[in-house]
Amino acid sequence: MSVRVGVLVFPGSNCEQDVVWAVEHLGAQAELLWHGDGSVSGVDAVVVPGGFAHGDYLRPGAIARFSPVMEAVTEFARGGGPVVGICNGFQVLTEAGLLPGALQKNAGLKFLCAPAVLEVVTTRSVLTGDATVGQRLSVPVNHFEGNYTCDDRTLASLRDDDCIVLRYVDNPNGSVDDIAGICNREGNVVGLMPHPERAVDELLGSADGRVLLGSLLSAAGTSVTA
Amino acid sequence: MTFSIHVEVRLRPGIADPQGATIERALPTLGFDGVSGVSVGKSIRFEVEGTDEASVRAQVDDLCDRFLTNPVIEEAVVTIEQLEQATS
């Protein structure tokens, strides 16, 4: 049986179909999970996609954490299930307390929409298990609030616990320590600003996102058989 | 008693404020020189029923911490005013 990936849909999400397409392109099944439903329907992995959940009212991600589905996602994550938040999904995961820190406005004061070169920092996360440390990947970014920040203690523990997953080679947004993506201590919850689902075929300009989403599918498959 | 609450949400020092920076850069083009320190925040107003100001303040502080602000990047300045009792 192929791996089933649940993709959350909030009012204002706008990258969910890209994630569905990318997941299916890589040979897995994808299904949309409405934010108002209090279940993740027994999927093997959850992706929180990009967009503007609840219109980014108050702050990006601030309202999304009250959606019923987030309780199910939190429980799924606590049980070791793979959860990846992309862009606005990363903001949702920090606001929901599943990942530390916050995303502030880009240091360059501009909305950014461009390819970014990332370096894989660790392979112990569900998003990088099939990659190699030091591997460089070209994956697009598309955000205004992607400047990762946290206090010094949190940054030190991210480093000590090997929770920095991806770094920008040429930091586009001012993120502390060039952070493009982080994971929780267990490595099963990952948040990143770049969009791997937009880089899964050479036709899109890069297929470097395949190793990331492929890693997620591998991790989801492992948790299925485990 | 009803208390009128005003919460000003500010970015913490050192947090990027592109709106403030853009406004500050635009002002001289209209001839407003010597304006500095522009920052943009949010203003949130609501009313709370409570017995005394201290308990209302504790409740509002908690509400700000857990929802109205993200304490990693923002701070709240809370102003509380007791509304006048209606007299019959």
Side-chain angles (χ1 to χ4, degrees):
Chain A
M1 215 178 79
S2 73
V3 166
R4 284 171 63 227
V5 177
V7 184
L8 303 194
V9 184
F10 297 95
S13 296
N14 64 13
C15 299
E16 73 278 11
Q17 297 296 347
D18 301 36
V19 176
V20 166
W21 184 85
V23 163
E24 290 175 348
H25 192 60
L26 295 177
Q29 284 177 270
E31 67 187 78
L32 297 174
L33 301 173
W34 179 241
H35 82 107
D37 296 334
S39 153
V40 292
S41 304
V43 294
D44 307 311
V46 170
V47 174
V48 191
F52 301 86
H54 296 278
D56 277 358
Y57 286 3
L58 192 60
R59 293 181 303 279
I63 312 284
R65 79 176 144 114
F66 298 109
S67 286
V69 78
M70 284 311 294
E71 210 167 304
V73 170
T74 303
E75 198 179 317
F76 179 73
R78 288 216 179 103
V83 176
V84 172
I86 302 168
C87 199
N88 185 234
F90 186 9
Q91 295 161 341
V92 169
L93 294 180
T94 59
E95 285 282 346
L98 286 169
L99 290 171
L103 284 310
Q104 60 166 320
K105 292 183 173 69
N106 296 337
L109 314 184
K110 285 197 175 88
F111 189 96
L112 294 170
C113 183
V117 180
L118 312 175
E119 193 167 277
V120 176
V121 184
T122 181
T123 57
R124 66 175 202 92
S125 85
V126 292
L127 197 67
T128 48
D130 295 346
T132 50
V133 171
Q135 187 175 358
R136 291 193 170 194
L137 306 169
S138 175
V139 180
V141 295
N142 184 207
H143 60 246
F144 186 43
E145 276 143 330
N147 177 352
Y148 182 79
T149 185
C150 60
D151 59 38
D152 292 342
R153 234 181 66 198
T154 305
L155 182 60
S157 70
L158 284 174
R159 287 183 185 142
D160 294 347
D161 298 336
D162 198 19
C163 290
I164 298 172
V165 176
L166 295 162
R167 281 201 179 98
Y168 299 109
V169 171
D170 187 10
N171 190 343
N173 58 25
S175 284
V176 64
D177 204 15
D178 302 329
I179 287 173
I182 58 168
C183 65
N184 62 348
R185 213 163 271 160
E186 294 74 22
N188 68 308
V189 179
V190 180
L192 75 166
M193 289 312 297
H195 288 266
E197 80 279 14
R198 298 187 191 172
V200 290
D201 193 289
E202 288 297 346
L203 261 180
L204 299 169
S206 167
D208 289 357
R210 291 179 74 110
V211 69
L212 299 176
L213 292 179
S215 297
L216 176 64
L217 299 180
S218 303
T222 312
S223 66
V224 172
T225 52
Chain B
M1 281 185 286
T2 306
F3 293 86
S4 162
I5 316 293
H6 176 220
V7 177
E8 185 198 347
V9 181
R10 296 178 183 171
L11 291 169
R12 285 189 181 281
I15 296 296
D17 180 8
Q19 292 188 77
T22 306
I23 291 167
E24 190 166 318
R25 276 205 314 268
L27 287 169
T29 65
L30 291 175
F32 296 105
D33 293 317
V35 181
S36 61
V38 177
S39 69
V40 176
K42 292 172 204 153
S43 174
I44 303 170
R45 290 175 193 277
F46 51 96
E47 288 170 11
V48 173
E49 289 292 333
T51 48
D52 61 283
E53 187 173 327
S55 67
V56 167
R57 183 169 290 276
Q59 191 187 348
V60 172
D61 284 348
D62 189 34
L63 186 156
C64 287
D65 225 33
R66 289 167 57 198
F67 184 38
L68 294 186
T69 69
N70 180 334
V72 180
I73 54 174
E74 295 168 328
E75 58 194 12
V77 179
V78 178
T79 312
I80 299 180
E81 206 179 312
Q82 190 186 327
L83 292 179
E84 293 207 13
Q85 305 277 22
T87 47
S88 50

